[in-house]
Amino acid sequence: TWGAFLNHKDDKRGQQDTFRDHFEAKHGHMFTFPDTSNTRFGSHLEAAAELLENLEMYLQFADDVRQRKGTASLNHLEENALKGLEDGPTRTELAVMTLYCEAVSVPYMSSVCGLGLEVNNALEMGPLHAKLLQHICKLIENQDLLLATDADPKLATLNASENWNRPKAVAAVHKLAPELPHFHEILAAFLQG
């Protein structure tokens, strides 16, 4: 919903221009929310990480949009976006998607793109896919690799990265984790799926 709210595929809908101006005023540079109306790999995971990393800013932006309107109310799309961010189960889903993005998706794409164009057919990537399966099984068996507040990206990421791609997003998940309903179970189910 936030994708349609802040980066709608129809430029006449959504709040993308207002959001870009708002973001630039707050942070000193332009930012475009991830394109979730596109089928580009990982865009929904990137959006989840972005929302959790800057949760208070997005809640404040929705409130600012409400206050700027003469009716002091949000339209249906905007209201659903705000309700979603305030909802515990939705936050749980966003947190799970963020951890998956950091531990699996980003490192996987980095490995695939790093192989070079001459070695990226599925048959030649068999060892990478076997490693991916082993890594996901490791995360299922030991969720603390992701959930410990001092989780080490070298152990938690597919490519044993020195750093998280978005350390602030991972820190936001760790901060929210104690209040997220059924977090461990949902993370396990997501990884098994």
Side-chain angles (χ1 to χ4, degrees), residues 33-86:
F33 193 80
D35 185 6
T36 58
S37 65
N38 196 323
T39 57
R40 189 174 58 82
F41 184 84
S43 61
H44 287 79
L45 300 175
E46 291 170 16
E50 172 60 28
L51 286 168
L52 287 186
E53 182 175 326
N54 297 297
L55 181 62
E56 292 305 317
M57 182 195 66
Y58 287 102
L59 293 171
Q60 182 62 51
F61 177 75
D63 190 51
D64 291 350
V65 168
R66 176 183 294 156
Q67 290 178 16
R68 275 195 311 272
K69 292 185 174 195
T71 60
S73 64
L74 298 171
N75 67 30
H76 184 68
L77 171 68
E78 297 160 349
E79 188 68 36
N80 283 342
L82 179 59
K83 284 180 182 177
L85 269 192
E86 294 171 336

Side-chain angles (χ1 to χ4, degrees), residues 52-53 164 166-173:
L52 287 186
E53 182 175 326
W164 298 108
R166 294 184 77 145
K168 290 180 182 177
V170 174
V173 171

Side-chain angles (χ1 to χ4, degrees), residues 1-145:
T1 313
W2 279 88
F5 180 22
L6 301 179
N7 191 358
H8 202 285
K9 62 183 175 184
D10 179 355
D11 287 344
K12 294 180 176 114
R13 303 178 127 198
Q15 294 282 346
Q16 49 274 357
D17 294 333
T18 304
F19 173 70
R20 281 192 286 269
D21 293 343
H22 176 85
F23 194 93
E24 184 176 29
K26 297 273 184 192
H27 299 282
H29 61 89
M30 286 282 210
F31 173 76
T32 301
F33 193 80
D35 185 6
T36 58
S37 65
N38 196 323
T39 57
R40 189 174 58 82
F41 184 84
S43 61
H44 287 79
L45 300 175
E46 291 170 16
E50 172 60 28
L51 286 168
L52 287 186
E53 182 175 326
N54 297 297
L55 181 62
E56 292 305 317
M57 182 195 66
Y58 287 102
L59 293 171
Q60 182 62 51
F61 177 75
D63 190 51
D64 291 350
V65 168
R66 176 183 294 156
Q67 290 178 16
R68 275 195 311 272
K69 292 185 174 195
T71 60
S73 64
L74 298 171
N75 67 30
H76 184 68
L77 171 68
E78 297 160 349
E79 188 68 36
N80 283 342
L82 179 59
K83 284 180 182 177
L85 269 192
E86 294 171 336
D87 180 58
T90 302
R91 285 185 179 187
T92 301
E93 290 178 25
L94 293 173
V96 166
M97 291 170 69
T98 297
L99 291 179
Y100 184 84
C101 183
E102 288 294 307
V104 178
S105 182
V106 168
Y108 174 79
M109 287 309 295
S110 175
S111 295
V112 168
C113 293
L115 291 174
L117 294 176
E118 70 281 350
V119 189
N120 71 353
N121 79 43
L123 295 174
E124 294 174 2
M125 287 194 255
L128 175 62
H129 292 140
K131 179 181 173 184
L132 173 67
L133 215 55
Q134 290 172 344
H135 183 69
I136 291 174
C137 288
K138 179 176 79 170
L139 295 176
I140 292 167
E141 291 171 13
N142 185 2
Q143 289 188 6
D144 281 342
L145 292 172

